Amino acid sequence: PAEVSRAAFVGRVWLRILECPCPPSSAGLELSVNNHAADFTLSTKLGPPISLSCLVHNSSQAEELLWYRGEGQVGLKDGNKVNISNICISPVNESDNGVTFTCRLARDKAVQVSVILDVQFPPRLSGEETLHVEEDKDVTLTCNSKSNPQAQTTWYKDNHNLTLQQNRHELYQTSEVFRLSIKKVQKSDNGTYTCVLESPLGNGTRDFHLIVEDKKPVFPKEAVIAAVVVVTITILFGIVAQKDKFFKVW
């Protein structure tokens, strides 16, 4: 009886295992985006829209797809989720540069393909600016140097390459800012400074007209206070000295 019970129990276990619906495996499933089965970089220009098309391969059933922009999920319409899914970026702008778009299999997010946008654009720099700075003060000239690919940057003074002086001129540059600082400006610093950005897609310039003004005289604070005190005391003594004469008249 014990053996019969054991056999019946094992039979029920196997029956449960056989009857349990197992989810289909994602092994062998692949995705492609714009015919790329692996992660890739897509170069594009500003303005015109671009389309990304994600397709499921080697599937025998309907597979739901998800799109992500960075870490955020992209909303898709119902008819744009199964086995094939398309998204459009329009218009393409500077903020899309370097952004990763990822297509994932909904039931196995490890199955995915990512595309990084490489949005190319020239430097957007123009115009002019006039700065009035007092002698011996510091001044900073700042250019917006954002571009892709990154532009070559140069400073000119009065149409000649600026000769940098140690401890007086400082350059600071990031992917977005090109900055020139001049410490303790002198009359010889008067002139037009030009920030020039050179890129394969175009150039940009901006002029800064620097006018160094005479140093304003600075009066010692202590001397001013002392003078005010002396004048006040003198007036008070004058009032006291005239007091008797004032009462005699009345």
Side-chain angles (χ1 to χ4, degrees):
E3 292 180 358
V4 173
S5 298
R6 188 180 303 111
F9 173 75
V10 172
R12 287 196 298 270
V13 170
W14 275 105
L15 181 62
R16 290 181 60 199
I17 292 175
L18 291 173
E19 290 178 347
C20 177
C22 298
S25 171
S26 60
L29 286 182
E30 292 183 353
L31 302 183
S32 68
V33 173
N34 290 16
N35 298 320
H36 292 264
D39 298 347
F40 68 104
T41 298
L42 178 62
S43 295
T44 185
K45 300 289 179 66
L46 290 178
I50 59 172
S51 295
L52 302 177
S53 180
C54 183
L55 181 64
V56 181
H57 299 271
N58 306 325
S59 174
S60 59
Q61 64 176 41
E63 296 288 352
E64 183 181 355
L65 296 171
L66 305 174
W67 273 104
Y68 291 82
R69 185 186 192 277
E71 298 300 320
Q73 188 171 342
V74 178
L76 300 174
K77 294 182 179 180
D78 290 339
N80 189 29
K81 295 181 179 180
V82 179
N83 289 346
I84 185 169
S85 180
N86 301 288
I87 61 172
C88 182
I89 299 98
S90 178
V92 175
N93 56 46
E94 294 178 10
S95 65
D96 295 316
N97 184 45
V99 174
T100 300
F101 287 85
T102 303
C103 179
R104 291 181 177 140
L105 196 66
R107 66 183 177 91
D108 186 354
K109 295 182 175 61
V111 180
Q112 64 175 43
V113 175
S114 294
V115 51
I116 301 174
L117 294 191
D118 175 33
V119 182
Q120 299 185 351
F121 54 93
R124 299 180 177 277
L125 188 66
S126 62
E128 57 184 329
E129 184 178 342
T130 300
L131 298 95
H132 296 263
V133 183
E134 187 180 326
E135 198 172 9
D136 281 342
K137 298 287 187 181
D138 297 342
V139 65
T140 298
L141 315 178
T142 302
C143 286
N144 172 18
S145 60
K146 190 175 181 180
S147 64
N148 183 37
Q150 188 168 347
Q152 296 294 319
T153 51
T154 312
W155 278 101
Y156 291 85
K157 182 189 177 187
D158 297 330
N159 297 320
H160 295 89
N161 273 301
L162 176 64
T163 302
L164 300 178
Q165 299 178 24
Q166 191 174 10
N167 300 324
R168 290 202 64 240
H169 296 124
E170 286 185 358
L171 294 180
Y172 173 81
Q173 185 171 4
T174 67
S175 60
E176 298 189 6
V177 171
F178 187 39
R179 183 178 299 157
L180 169 67
S181 296
I182 307 174
K183 295 183 177 180
K184 294 186 176 181
V185 295
Q186 305 166 1
K187 289 290 187 179
S188 59
D189 294 318
N190 270 314
T192 298
Y193 293 78
T194 304
C195 172
V196 177
L197 305 179
E198 297 177 297
S199 160
L201 302 180
N203 301 333
T205 63
R206 185 171 180 83
D207 290 331
F208 297 85
H209 306 292
L210 181 61
I211 300 174
V212 181
E213 300 177 336
D214 291 336
K215 190 175 181 179
K216 296 182 175 66
V218 178
F219 296 100
K221 189 183 297 183
E222 294 80 2
V224 173
I225 294 174
V228 171
V229 171
V230 169
V231 171
T232 304
I233 293 175
T234 302
I235 293 173
L236 290 175
F237 275 118
I239 292 173
V240 171
Q242 296 294 324
K243 183 176 65 173
D244 293 340
K245 183 185 296 185
F246 177 77
F247 283 115
K248 286 179 180 179
V249 171
W250 283 95

